[in-house]
């Protein structure tokens, strides 16, 4: 047997085992040496390099948006605040399948198609490593549901933010404005570094005009994150500089009264303190809720606002251009006195219409039977059209427009919100340029009663009336009275800014006009006599009724037979107390009809509220109405 004949060589086997063990040991030593060399290379020689790379993986630098400044009214009532809320943010580069992630999130959180559309638009113009909001203002229940399922959504997190909130909803929105998402166009003009991390920007009103003050300056912080990119802790921080708080000259309660007084009608009310140009109320009705825009308005709601025939987003106070109607007659009368073409005793006979030489067209007075002989004072009190047809023709369009120009009817007032439009006092040159036609005498006549091409905004009417009440002194209307540092609480009051003063030839002429305007309200046959009842102060005013469309020579204006949208606009301008004005009010009610019956009572409500609050009772002596004139006619203009 072969096996039985084999003799083991123990020496040889031992030597073989030893040699193999030595080789294995050497391999281990070599591998260990390599490992130690590599460890030395990483930990010692390249420590600094890999330390930086490691920090980059776990630490991120991110912008910290500043807190937007708050907005108060003149009495310290908060009009725009910042409320905390959670929003759902997505970092696109950390998400493998974006559509699948969004679909999964929709099972937990109410995310609309508009939310997704807005998110994808933001994604296109942003870096993929930056967080982008998918849904804002999450409810507590939504935050809780996501927290439980957070592990399923790498790159998605809920983050606390401050969002703008307007506690009075639509009140004063046309003055206050609102904030909204930064648009593509705005991205081209803003300081992108300072808006890093900010989603919103002022869109209209004070929010837009004072954007630089309200926004503040961005801060930065270094944060440590985990492998999923979620923040673990903040390592260090350069705090942002919050925006300044603003104190408006606006009176929130007066604004409420102005808007409530307009009721269901479309129109505007502007109230100004003529002593410093402060805008006390700037109402444009109807209004809309600015809170809809803060978190992103859905397309259906936005279309409804834009397509509404009442145009709630249109700021009638600074952009609505209307014929001033008879509210311009005090200015025309003053022009006649200042040019020396008439005096207080100059009379014109009103038979109910006016004829130009060689023209068969009748320029009608609102009173069909006529007013009889009229001097300037009575022409203002009863708003006689014929008197002002004749005076305007005597003045001529050149002198008439030249006199009205310093009152600012053809210019912007310079109020501190954007979007204001100019009015229009027509001239021969304007008509040649715009209509390519000569000027006709009949157009001078109707310009004298605030019709034809003559257009003005409610704000311009108010500022022109303020200049009249203060003998030519004009101050730029302003909405912001002071700024406040939110840290120190230090306030800086903004000075009044004078506009070009209206030249005064003879102060007696101005006194005469103001007395006549006072009788418009306090005379027994003044067109605004109804608002004198129970007044604790004297009011100087002038009513106006502006035609929306012309009627034929043989037709009669019957309000009940005319569609609402074609009825006359109702206007009123006035100031009080008449001898030392503290408030000037301009009112227009679209298609409201009579200025005396509709617009003047609105102004009275505004004056009552403001003057009874700011003036002590002893400073408001009850002034009996002038009852010397016993005419019983019922003027309508």
């Amino acid at each position: 047997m072969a096996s039985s004949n084999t003799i083991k060589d123990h020496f040889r086997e031992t030597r073989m085992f030893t040699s193999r063990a030595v080789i294995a040991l050497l391999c281990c030593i070599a591998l260990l040496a390599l490992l130690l060399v590599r460890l030395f290379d990483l930990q010692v020689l390249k420590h600094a390099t890999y330390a930086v790379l490691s920090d980059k993986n776990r630490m991120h630098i991110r912008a910290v948006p500043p807190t937007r400044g708050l907005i108060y009214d003149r009495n310290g009532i908060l009009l725009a605040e910042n409320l905390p809320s959670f929003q759902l943010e997505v970092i696109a580069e950390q998400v493998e399948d974006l559509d699948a992630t969004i679909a999964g999130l929709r099972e937990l959180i109410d995310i609309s198609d508009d939310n997704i559309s807005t998110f994808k638009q933001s994604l296109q113009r942003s870096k993929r490593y930056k967080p982008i909001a998918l849904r804002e203002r999450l409810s507590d229940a939504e935050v809780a549901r996501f927290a439980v399922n957070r592990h399923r959504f790498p790159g998605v997190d809920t983050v606390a933010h401050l969002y703008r909130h307007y506690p009075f909803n639509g009140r004063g929105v046309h003055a206050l404005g609102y904030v909204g998402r930064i648009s593509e166009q705005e991205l081209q003009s803003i300081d992108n570094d300072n808006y890093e991390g900010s989603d919103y920007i002022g869109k209209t009103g004070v929010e837009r005009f004072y954007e630089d003050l309200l926004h503040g300056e961005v801060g930065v912080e270094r944060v440590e994150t985990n492998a999923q990119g979620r923040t673990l802790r903040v390592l260090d921080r350069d705090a942002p500089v919050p925006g300044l708080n603003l104190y408006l000259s606006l009176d929130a309660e007066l604004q409420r009264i102005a808007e409530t007084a307009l009721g269901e009608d479309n129109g505007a009310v502007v109230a100004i303190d003529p002593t410093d140009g402060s805008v006390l109320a700037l109402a444009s009705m109807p209004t809309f809720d600015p809170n809809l825009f803060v978190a992103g308005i859905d397309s259906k709601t936005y279309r409804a606002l834009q397509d509404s025939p009442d145009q709630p987003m249109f700021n009638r106070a600074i952009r609505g251009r209307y014929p001033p109607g008879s509210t311009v007659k005090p200015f025309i009368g003053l022009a006649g006195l200042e040019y020396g073409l008439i005096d207080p005793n100059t009379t014109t006979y009103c038979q109910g219409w006016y004829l130009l030489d060689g023209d068969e067209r009748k320029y009608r007075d609102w009173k069909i039977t006529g007013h009889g002989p009229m001097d300037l004072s009575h022409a203002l009190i009863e708003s006689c059209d014929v008197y002002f047809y004749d005076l305007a023709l005597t003045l001529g369009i050149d002198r008439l427009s030249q006199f009205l120009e310093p009152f600012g009817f053809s210019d912007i007032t310079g109020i501190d919100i954007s979007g204001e439009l100019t009015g229009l006092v027509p001239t021969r040159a304007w008509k040649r340029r715009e209509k390519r036609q000569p000027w006709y005498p009949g157009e001078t006549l109707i310009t004298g009663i605030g019709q034809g091409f003559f257009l003005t905004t409610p704000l311009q009417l108010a500022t022109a009336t303020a200049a009249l009440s203060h003998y030519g002194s004009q101050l730029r209307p302003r909405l912001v009275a002071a700024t406040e540092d939110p840290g120190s609480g230090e306030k800086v009051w903004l000075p009044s800014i004078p506009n070009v003063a209206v030249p005064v030839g003879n102060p007696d002429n101005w006194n005469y006009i103001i007395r006549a305007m006072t009788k418009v309200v306090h005379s027994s046959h003044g067109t605004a006599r109804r608002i004198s009842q129970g007044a604790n102060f004297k009011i100087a005013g002038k009513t106006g009724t502006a035609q929306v469309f012309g009627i034929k020579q043989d037709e009669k204006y019957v309000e009940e037979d005319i569609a609402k949208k074609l009825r006359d606009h109702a206007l009123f301008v006035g100031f009080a107390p008449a001898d030392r004005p503290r408030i000037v009010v301009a009112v227009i009610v679209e298609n409201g009809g009579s200025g005396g019956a509709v617009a003047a009572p609105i102004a009275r409500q505004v004056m009552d509220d403001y003057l009874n609050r700011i003036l002590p009772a002893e400073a408001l002596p009850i002034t009996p109405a002038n009852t010397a004139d016993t005419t019983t006619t019922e003027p309508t203009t």
Side-chain angles (χ1 to χ4, degrees), residues 349-353 365-374 382 384 386 633:
Y349 187 80
C350 172
Q351 58 184 339
W353 70 85
D365 193 279
W366 67 265
K367 188 177 182 181
I368 296 175
T369 57
H371 295 272
M374 287 273 110
E382 298 186 31
C384 174
V386 168
T633 51

Side-chain angles (χ1 to χ4, degrees), residues 5-213:
N5 295 330
T6 302
I7 299 175
K8 286 188 175 180
D9 185 349
H10 294 286
F11 177 75
R12 183 172 175 270
E13 288 181 352
T14 300
R15 191 175 58 183
M16 184 179 297
F17 172 79
T18 302
S19 63
R20 287 176 179 176
V22 170
I23 291 172
L25 179 62
L26 290 175
C27 287
C28 289
I29 292 172
L31 289 173
L32 182 61
L34 285 173
L35 188 61
L36 290 174
V37 169
R38 182 58 176 164
L39 188 63
F40 181 79
D41 180 55
L42 293 175
Q43 294 293 327
V44 179
L45 298 181
K46 295 180 179 177
H47 172 76
T49 301
Y50 287 105
V52 171
L53 292 176
S54 175
D55 282 347
K56 283 185 177 179
N57 282 333
R58 72 181 180 91
M59 289 189 297
H60 294 277
I61 295 175
R62 69 183 183 191
V64 183
T67 304
R68 193 172 182 83
L70 307 177
I71 302 177
Y72 300 88
D73 87 332
R74 67 188 296 117
N75 300 311
I77 296 173
L78 193 58
L79 303 177
E81 59 187 338
N82 303 312
L83 296 181
S85 178
F86 280 92
Q87 69 182 28
L88 190 68
E89 293 183 350
V90 178
I91 301 175
E93 73 171 8
Q94 295 178 10
V95 178
E96 288 187 7
D97 187 335
L98 198 56
D99 291 333
T101 297
I102 293 175
L105 290 168
R106 295 184 85 170
E107 296 174 359
L108 304 173
I109 295 172
D110 182 16
I111 301 172
S112 68
D113 292 340
D114 281 339
N115 293 143
I116 296 172
S117 175
T118 303
F119 168 77
K120 290 190 173 178
Q121 287 175 13
S122 300
L123 186 61
Q124 288 177 350
R125 64 177 187 239
S126 181
K127 305 290 191 299
R128 293 182 66 84
Y129 60 81
K130 290 186 175 180
I132 299 173
L134 177 58
R135 233 304 296 283
E136 289 144 330
R137 298 168 68 174
L138 301 177
S139 67
D140 292 343
E142 288 174 324
V143 173
R145 279 200 298 273
F146 177 79
V148 173
N149 293 275
R150 177 178 292 171
H151 63 280
R152 295 169 48 200
F153 302 101
V156 183
D157 208 348
T158 53
V159 181
H161 278 268
L162 292 174
Y163 73 92
R164 203 62 155 175
H165 180 250
Y166 303 95
F168 293 104
N169 300 323
R171 187 191 304 178
V173 62
H174 293 287
L176 191 58
Y178 60 87
V179 300
R181 285 183 176 279
I182 300 173
S183 68
E184 191 70 34
Q185 186 179 6
E186 288 161 340
L187 273 176
Q188 307 304 318
S189 58
I190 62 175
D191 179 352
N192 283 279
D193 290 338
N194 197 33
Y195 277 82
E196 186 77 25
S198 297
D199 295 321
Y200 306 106
I201 193 170
K203 296 288 185 178
T204 64
V206 168
E207 289 275 29
R208 176 176 176 178
F209 195 89
Y210 290 96
E211 172 64 26
D212 289 346
L213 299 183

